[in-house]
């Protein structure tokens, strides 16, 4: 087997679209704590803080048109462009922090 061994997450954050007891039970059976926002409850559960990080990362990646609209048919080419984009994002962040 190539790569790092897979590890199981301790928690899973999800929005209201996944608020079903079926999903919660499946996660608990696998030893994963579900943190799923409830439907019909006002905002303020705190899940937005974790979700914001993911949404921001997607926004940074969508600056690169070839990643936003996937033109590559081959997964290895897409993976290479994704890694290049992540490197450029990190370089820009480092350059701006000094």
């Amino acid at each position: 087997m190539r790569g790092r061994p897979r590890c199981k997450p301790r928690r899973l954050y999800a929005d209201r679209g996944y608020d079903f007891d079926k999903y919660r039970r499946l996660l608990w059976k696998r030893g994963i704590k579900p943190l799923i926002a409830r439907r019909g409850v006002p905002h303020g559960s705190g899940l937005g803080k974790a979700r914001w990080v993911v949404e921001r990362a997607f926004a940074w990646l969508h600056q690169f048109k070839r990643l936003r609209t996937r033109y590559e048919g081959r997964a290895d080419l897409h993976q290479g462009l994704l890694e290049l984009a992540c490197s450029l994002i990190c370089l820009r962040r480092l350059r701006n922090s000094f």
Side-chain angles (χ1 to χ4, degrees), residues 22-86:
K22 170 186 168 183
Y23 296 139
R24 292 178 196 281
R25 281 193 303 271
L26 287 170
L27 289 167
W28 279 118
K29 283 181 185 177
R30 292 177 180 238
I32 301 170
K33 180 180 179 183
L35 297 170
I36 303 172
R38 295 275 183 191
R39 291 178 190 222
V41 176
H43 290 281
S45 63
L47 289 177
K49 292 177 186 174
R51 183 179 170 146
W52 179 79
V53 174
V54 175
E55 296 295 333
R56 180 184 61 190
F58 282 137
W60 284 341
L61 288 171
H62 284 166
Q63 293 173 4
F64 302 93
K65 185 177 180 182
R66 290 191 79 97
L67 293 174
R68 187 177 17 187
T69 305
R70 185 172 174 178
Y71 292 111
E72 274 56 72
R74 291 178 35 194
D76 59 337
L77 292 176
H78 183 73
Q79 181 71 27
L81 288 172
L82 184 62
E83 290 171 5
L84 179 62
C86 290

Side-chain angles (χ1 to χ4, degrees), residues 2 4 6 9-10 12-13 16 18 20 23 26 30 32 38 43 47 49 53 59 64 68 78-79 88 90-92 97:
R2 291 173 33 186
R4 282 188 352 211
R6 291 175 27 175
R10 290 186 215 135
L12 180 112
Y13 294 95
R16 293 178 174 154
Y18 299 95
F20 296 100
Y23 296 139
L26 287 170
R30 292 177 180 238
I32 301 170
R38 295 275 183 191
H43 290 281
L47 289 177
K49 292 177 186 174
V53 174
F64 302 93
R68 187 177 17 187
H78 183 73
Q79 181 71 27
L88 288 172
C90 290
L91 178 66
R92 289 175 187 166
S97 66

